[in-house]
Amino acid sequence: MSENGTVPPGRPWPIVLPGQAAVFGLAVFLLDSTASGVVAERAAVTVRITEDVRAELVRYGESVVVGGATSFLLIATILLVPAAVLLRCGSRRAAAAGLVTMGLLTPPYLAGLAVVAFTTDPVSGIQAGFMSSQTADLLRSWLPGWYAPARTALPGAAVMAWLTSVFLLSRSAAVRWRAVPAPRAVPLLLGQLPLIGVLVTVFGSVAIGQTERLAHQEARAAAGEYAGAGLFYLEHAAGTVWRYAVLLAVAGALALMLAAVVHRTGIRAPLLVVHGMAGVPLLLLLLVVSFATPFAVSGAADEPVPPVLGSGPEWYFPALLTQTFLGAFAYATATVLLIRGDRAAQG
């Protein structure tokens, strides 16, 4: 390790990130292909099924081998290649970017594996659209008994392999990479994220109060046009505001914890991975809050009630979008600063 904290040339084993996704994708492909072959053999010797059912079974065999699980793992393999390349590079910034990327990809990858593990029913997903109940019953009876346990075990093994890889890569980077102080702006940027939750909640509460008054005015001005004021929709909107407030409070607490750790320990390899992991739910939450607004999900948009109940006051959406964009920008800026590191400390 050099005096300025640069990471030595990376070891070849970061290739296990895309490699394991490719291996498990191939395993799922072979498993599904074998199971669909067993179904085809049993269908071939059954003379009592109709030609329509036989055609559905053929389409099942064609779709199962290129189904969602195989496609997901193929896409994961492609997306994980940049993380492996960055971790393989020798520069500190490349390794830091690789650790953050690995963290960012961890939540969606594990979520996808969980979906794969719980979709072992042969009539789920793409097959359900063209399959009759008779064909579905035949598939359930003809699929080999080992299929469902094996189909669940493979994603489970993939989860364990991924968590092990993340731990080993983080530990390897930690022992080969001297921590450096973080730029002062990083704790400040992360520390202001809880304010987004406060402002979004205040905006929502004020908007609901103003919407109630505007709805009364619109209903009086267009008497007979609307079935009613529809103010009960505001109860649903208020409930959504407070549900978002709880989620944003949890995200804000996590951001404060990251800010405290960055301020106390500086930039470390495990911190970069955790920062990346935290970014996915945080950015997803900001996206949901921005577009699935309390008014949009209240159900008032397509009802014969004043339009303001489905959109809120005119100022609400621009103000909301501004705040959530600032939150996403703050996280992205902190991420860039963490990857660049403290230039003075690096010499």
Side-chain angles (χ1 to χ4, degrees), residues 327-341:
F329 182 76
Y331 172 81
T333 303
T335 302
V336 172
L337 292 176
L338 285 174
I339 291 174
R340 293 183 61 187

Side-chain angles (χ1 to χ4, degrees), residues 152-171:
T152 303
L154 276 177
V159 170
M160 295 303 299
W162 177 262
L163 294 177
T164 302
S165 299
V166 170
F167 171 76
L168 292 176
L169 283 168
S170 302
R171 189 177 68 173

Side-chain angles (χ1 to χ4, degrees), residues 35-347:
S36 63
V38 173
V39 171
E41 291 177 1
R42 293 177 178 178
V45 298
T46 303
V47 297
R48 294 183 178 179
I49 62 175
T50 65
E51 288 301 321
D52 290 339
V53 171
R54 199 177 297 275
E56 288 179 343
L57 291 173
V58 171
R59 290 199 296 271
Y60 164 75
E62 293 172 349
S63 63
V64 73
V65 295
V66 291
T70 305
S71 300
F72 162 73
L73 289 167
L74 175 61
I75 294 172
T77 301
I78 297 172
L79 293 178
L80 289 170
V81 169
V85 171
L86 289 169
L87 289 170
R88 181 69 176 82
C89 294
S91 68
R92 182 189 189 99
R93 290 182 180 179
L99 291 169
V100 172
T101 303
M102 183 172 62
L104 282 169
L105 292 175
T106 293
Y109 183 66
L110 295 182
L113 289 176
V115 172
V116 171
F118 290 105
T119 54
T120 57
D121 191 320
V123 298
S124 63
I126 187 174
Q127 294 84 16
F130 61 75
M131 194 174 295
S132 65
S133 59
Q134 179 185 2
T135 308
D137 293 338
L138 288 173
L139 277 175
R140 290 191 178 98
S141 62
W142 284 351
L143 275 173
W146 48 261
Y147 176 72
R151 193 66 156 65
T152 303
L154 276 177
V159 170
M160 295 303 299
W162 177 262
L163 294 177
T164 302
S165 299
V166 170
F167 171 76
L168 292 176
L169 283 168
S170 302
R171 189 177 68 173
S172 175
V175 300
R176 295 183 294 121
W177 184 7
R178 177 174 58 85
V180 297
R184 294 181 180 179
V186 174
L188 295 177
L189 287 169
L190 294 176
Q192 64 86 34
L193 287 178
L195 295 177
I196 304 297
V198 175
L199 291 173
V200 168
T201 304
V202 171
F203 286 168
S205 301
V206 173
I208 287 175
Q210 187 174 353
T211 298
E212 182 176 0
R213 294 191 296 272
L214 292 173
H216 278 300
Q217 294 174 6
E218 291 183 11
R220 287 196 298 267
E225 181 177 350
Y226 302 118
L231 297 182
F232 64 90
Y233 287 109
L234 292 180
E235 298 178 4
H236 301 298
T240 302
V241 167
W242 292 112
R243 282 191 288 271
Y244 283 167
V246 172
L247 293 175
L248 289 167
V250 173
L254 178 60
L256 286 177
M257 291 174 60
L258 285 174
V261 172
V262 170
H263 178 72
R264 185 178 181 86
T265 67
I267 304 176
R268 296 179 179 271
L271 171 69
L272 292 170
V273 178
V274 174
H275 179 80
M277 291 181 180
V280 175
L282 173 63
L283 296 176
L284 181 60
L285 177 59
L286 291 177
L287 182 64
V288 170
V289 169
S290 298
F291 296 98
T293 66
F295 300 101
V297 300
S298 68
D302 298 324
E303 298 298 324
V305 293
V308 69
L309 292 173
S311 61
E314 292 182 358
W315 60 266
Y316 174 69
F317 184 70
L320 177 67
L321 199 60
T322 299
Q323 293 303 317
T324 53
F325 172 80
L326 289 175
F329 182 76
Y331 172 81
T333 303
T335 302
V336 172
L337 292 176
L338 285 174
I339 291 174
R340 293 183 61 187
D342 191 329
R343 298 176 65 181
Q346 295 184 44

